[in-house]
Amino acid sequence: MDNMINTAVTQAVEQANAFTISIWFLIGAALVFFMQCGFAMVETGFTRAKNAGNIIMKNLMDFCIGTIMFIFLGFGLMMSENYLFGLVGVPDLQIFTDFNNFPWSSFVFNLVFCATAATIVSGAMAERTKFISYCIYSGLISLVVYPIEAGWVWNSQGWLAQLGFVDFAGSACIHTVGGISALIGAAMVGPRIGKYKDGKPRAIPGHSLTLGALGVFILWFGWYGFNGAAATDVTQLAQIFATTTVAPAAATCATMIYTWIKNGKPDVSMSLNGSLAGLVAITAGCHTVDILGSLIIGIIAGIIVVIAVEVVDSKLKVDDPVGAIAVHMCNGIWGTLAVGLFSKDSDTLGLLYGGGFAQLGKQALGILSISVYTAVLMTIIFFVLKKTIGLRASRDEEVRGLDLTEHGLASSYADFMPVPQVLTGKTTTPEMVPPEKAVEVNLLTPADKKASPDHPKLTNISIVTKQSKFTELNTALTGIGITGMTVTQVLGCGMQKGNTEYYRGVAVEMNLLPKIRIDIVVSKVPVKTVVDTAVKALYTGHIGDGKIFIYDVEDVVKIRTGETGYDALQDHD
């Protein structure tokens, strides 16, 4: 009796654990789907505002198109039990004919991973790729590229799986594949206009590092599902969470320190890439390495990403706005090989833990096979697209921005677009005054101005200075009787072009800095008084204090009263 009870309790516990793992499996899939948002934000922030809508659209459509492609063929190729020569799966029609018994959780899980591989490419080819071409090659990645090589690894019948190759969550199957595709695509589509001058790379900063940082945090959050969803028990899940935290943290610190030493300042955008590099590198072995191993893997990844960005940019002359090649391809390869060095699992023991070169050799063979397959197939796809419908947008489209030319979107930011006024409640229409009833304006001729001492000279004083100095300057000018001014936020630099700064390891040739421009037209207050007051308020003795420009003004008209010249500048009615 006791044995029966114990058996029943054991079965109930096992069923509960299995159910819990299944629920986490689907939650993990949802987290991976949320990573699409992260990729969209990183790519949007690292590129220019005029292409933001285009990039968002591409990240949306690669998942939607990929879903259709994966349903019709991709999943069948990947998970089929029927293989030709152990390499290519033969799909069946179970997905259409046996709804109740179909492994839907596996389908959804593999679908979101497939979408991740496809979306990596968009960032490297951003700002100059035709939307229609992107839709086609993105769909083909989900149709035949990812499913076949992923089937080698994650289908139990796949030849790499049977060989003992380890890629737990996709350093090779997803990130290396996406990175290689990005390299080939970016090389074939060519660099953005203005990226290279006399063979040397020029910095083209992204429009919002804030969006880029948001995307990185979203990706890091989603990566816990990316790496952890396939965990078989709670203990393994906890280990995966730990290694998925330590590796990117170490990589980010390594990138920050390396760029700080190299460029004199810690590079923000490169540090964000460092976080992603650490996540990519730990993905293959997150379940078999310990904390020390993940720390070392992360540190190396953080250095690799900086070196790789500079090599791709300066040596290969491949324009990758977001660093996708360095993050995903280079660190995908490193993370895959790292399993053969740092794995502590008895079945896949790494070289540094006494396992010899066996596992390292398997990892090298696997990453080489996946890389060659991807490179050959993607080269064919990009070549055919380039020779038929074309890969690249026209020069005019690129200059104007793909938001406008591809999607008819004036801007993806409402602040830059005319917004119709929304009226609520009872409103009245202002009375329209006929032009003939407007106040008559009598402008003086140049001869009248010279002959009339009652009309003092009008002078425009334009001050360009740091935004932080406005309050101090405004207080000083008010003190001498200046009650009217026009203030504009501008970008500018002097002859020295600002201090030499670096963006992603490349010197920014002209560093446009945020400034304000204050325009004042004076007649009553002496020009010298205004200039002396402004200089005293703004002077620090350092580069960037600003400049003052002085112009003659021919005349001024106050629209409401028709007053001109000196009278138009006075505050009294």
Side-chain angles (χ1 to χ4, degrees), residues 543-561:
I543 291 175
D545 279 349
K547 291 183 175 64
I548 300 174
F549 303 89
I550 303 171
Y551 311 92
D552 288 335
V553 177
E554 184 173 340
D555 211 341
V556 179
V557 177
K558 181 181 287 187
I559 296 174
R560 179 172 59 86
T561 64

Side-chain angles (χ1 to χ4, degrees), residues 10 37 43 194 303 344 492:
T10 301
C37 173
E43 293 170 15
I303 296 173
K344 295 190 72 175

Side-chain angles (χ1 to χ4, degrees), residues 464-467 488-499 510-517 543-547 549:
V464 180
T465 189
K466 299 175 183 176
Q467 293 180 351
T488 310
Q489 291 187 337
V490 296
L491 293 174
C493 63
M495 292 298 293
Q496 72 282 352
K497 298 183 181 179
N499 297 324
M510 181 174 286
N511 191 21
L512 295 176
L513 304 174
K515 302 280 187 178
I516 54 171
R517 173 175 170 172
I543 291 175
D545 279 349
K547 291 183 175 64
F549 303 89

Side-chain angles (χ1 to χ4, degrees), residues 213-238:
L214 175 63
V216 169
F217 280 114
I218 291 174
L219 286 170
W220 195 329
F221 173 72
W223 227 287
Y224 290 116
F226 196 90
N227 284 358
T232 55
D233 55 56
V234 175
T235 301
Q236 187 184 65
L237 180 61

Side-chain angles (χ1 to χ4, degrees), residues 431-490:
E431 181 183 356
M432 300 300 294
V433 180
E436 60 270 15
K437 291 186 178 181
V439 176
E440 184 177 354
V441 178
N442 295 312
L443 295 175
L444 297 176
T445 65
D448 293 333
K449 294 176 185 177
K450 292 180 181 179
S452 177
D454 296 329
H455 294 275
K457 180 181 179 182
L458 304 177
T459 304
N460 179 60
I461 302 172
S462 182
I463 305 169
V464 180
T465 189
K466 299 175 183 176
Q467 293 180 351
S468 59
K469 300 291 286 186
F470 174 70
T471 301
E472 189 174 347
L473 176 63
N474 185 38
T475 301
L477 293 176
T478 302
I480 61 172
I482 300 297
T483 57
M485 64 179 66
T486 301
V487 181
T488 310
Q489 291 187 337
V490 296

Side-chain angles (χ1 to χ4, degrees), residues 555-559 561-572:
D555 211 341
V556 179
V557 177
K558 181 181 287 187
I559 296 174
T561 64
E563 293 173 301
T564 62
Y566 175 86
D567 294 332
L569 296 177
Q570 308 314 306
D571 290 333
H572 60 79

